[in-house]
Amino acid sequence: MSDLSSEGTEAEAEADLGEYDGDRNSEGERHGRGKAHLPNGDTYDGEYEHGFRSGQGTYRFRNGASYTGEYLQNKKHGRGIFFYPDGSKYEGDWVNDRRHGYGEYTYANGDTYTGEWFNHNRHGQGTYVYKDTGSKYVGGWVNGNQEGQAELIHLNHRFKGKFLNGNPVGHGKYVFDIGCEQHGEYIQSEQDKGEGEEEEEPSLLVAPKWKASKITKLTLWTPHGETPPSP
């Protein structure tokens, strides 16, 4: 799973520094439409209000990153698209300079995430598509990690269940396109430790193991405790 290492910490320069060519108000503040060349090498072309970047504009960072979209008092705020130096991009909602609301992130490796964001992280409901395999994760996210009810859809089968920190946990089922389901649960396996051995370093996280319980025909979900009518 891709992390967001491409984000970089592109800090935008102060709005009222550097060379400026554009409209001003009666107080001499940048106000209206203008272009600025900032001391750090960045440029801004867009709207100003009372000396602040506010409204629509394009900000280009000297490292190759750029943002085109809405501003409010120097902060990215509203709808906008951000291109990162590694070729990844985010298109969606911003609040107070952070990805927040709904948007799509295309990663440098071609993976995509489309869904909800909270305070710069994937958070809420969203779909992550793995470009290499065509598989996709559809479901819950918490602080950037796959967590909650979800479906992991592969080419000819899918898994329905719960996730925690990117791994499936507890009861779930695999649904196969050939027309059957395998029910079971994911069990967190403990690493074997020799008797009396002191643990000198934290054990590596071991992926949970799938323990199958039964195979059935395709079933429709029914409320707990009710049995579907006999055929």
Side-chain angles (χ1 to χ4, degrees), residues 149 160 173 181 183 218-228:
Q149 288 286 350
K160 289 184 174 184
K173 66 180 181 178
E181 297 180 350
H183 299 252
L218 294 179
T219 56
L220 289 170
W221 184 86
T222 55
H224 185 66
E226 283 187 29
T227 52

Side-chain angles (χ1 to χ4, degrees), residues 147-191:
E147 190 166 316
Q149 288 286 350
E151 217 173 335
L152 191 55
I153 302 165
H154 301 290
L155 231 46
N156 55 7
H157 70 285
R158 61 185 62 197
F159 170 76
K160 289 184 174 184
K162 277 189 175 173
F163 285 74
L164 183 65
N165 288 329
N167 285 317
V169 290
H171 291 279
K173 66 180 181 178
Y174 280 92
V175 183
F176 296 91
D177 288 0
I178 53 173
C180 67
E181 297 180 350
Q182 185 184 69
H183 299 252
E185 64 179 312
Y186 272 98
I187 310 225
Q188 185 66 56
S189 55
E190 294 291 324
Q191 277 198 317

Side-chain angles (χ1 to χ4, degrees), residues 71-189:
Y71 275 92
L72 182 65
Q73 293 201 319
N74 285 357
K75 308 275 192 189
K76 296 182 282 292
H77 195 95
R79 296 281 302 172
I81 180 166
F82 198 115
F83 292 92
Y84 295 89
D86 66 355
S88 58
K89 71 172 182 179
Y90 170 79
E91 184 168 7
D93 297 330
W94 296 80
V95 172
N96 198 24
D97 251 355
R98 300 181 81 70
R99 295 184 294 271
H100 191 100
Y102 189 90
E104 178 175 348
Y105 200 115
T106 304
Y107 298 88
N109 66 358
D111 291 358
T112 58
Y113 170 82
T114 307
E116 296 176 295
W117 295 79
F118 183 85
N119 196 21
H120 233 40
N121 286 320
R122 299 172 296 227
H123 190 94
Q125 291 294 307
T127 298
Y128 190 102
V129 179
Y130 299 87
K131 181 176 182 286
D132 284 352
T133 60
S135 298
K136 61 182 175 183
Y137 171 97
V138 183
W141 296 78
V142 175
N143 290 329
N145 292 319
Q146 295 171 342
E147 190 166 316
Q149 288 286 350
E151 217 173 335
L152 191 55
I153 302 165
H154 301 290
L155 231 46
N156 55 7
H157 70 285
R158 61 185 62 197
F159 170 76
K160 289 184 174 184
K162 277 189 175 173
F163 285 74
L164 183 65
N165 288 329
N167 285 317
V169 290
H171 291 279
K173 66 180 181 178
Y174 280 92
V175 183
F176 296 91
D177 288 0
I178 53 173
C180 67
E181 297 180 350
Q182 185 184 69
H183 299 252
E185 64 179 312
Y186 272 98
I187 310 225
Q188 185 66 56
S189 55

Side-chain angles (χ1 to χ4, degrees), residues 26-104:
S26 55
E27 278 84 50
E29 299 168 319
R30 300 177 184 188
H31 190 89
R33 182 94 203 179
K35 293 182 180 179
H37 285 268
L38 300 146
N40 63 357
D42 297 350
T43 63
Y44 175 75
D45 182 353
E47 296 173 321
Y48 284 85
E49 278 183 21
H50 299 290
F52 293 103
R53 291 185 288 273
S54 279
Q56 282 287 334
T58 295
Y59 191 105
R60 298 184 191 281
F61 298 84
R62 62 178 180 183
N63 66 3
S66 71
Y67 170 80
T68 298
E70 295 176 278
Y71 275 92
L72 182 65
Q73 293 201 319
N74 285 357
K75 308 275 192 189
K76 296 182 282 292
H77 195 95
R79 296 281 302 172
I81 180 166
F82 198 115
F83 292 92
Y84 295 89
D86 66 355
S88 58
K89 71 172 182 179
Y90 170 79
E91 184 168 7
D93 297 330
W94 296 80
V95 172
N96 198 24
D97 251 355
R98 300 181 81 70
R99 295 184 294 271
H100 191 100
Y102 189 90
E104 178 175 348

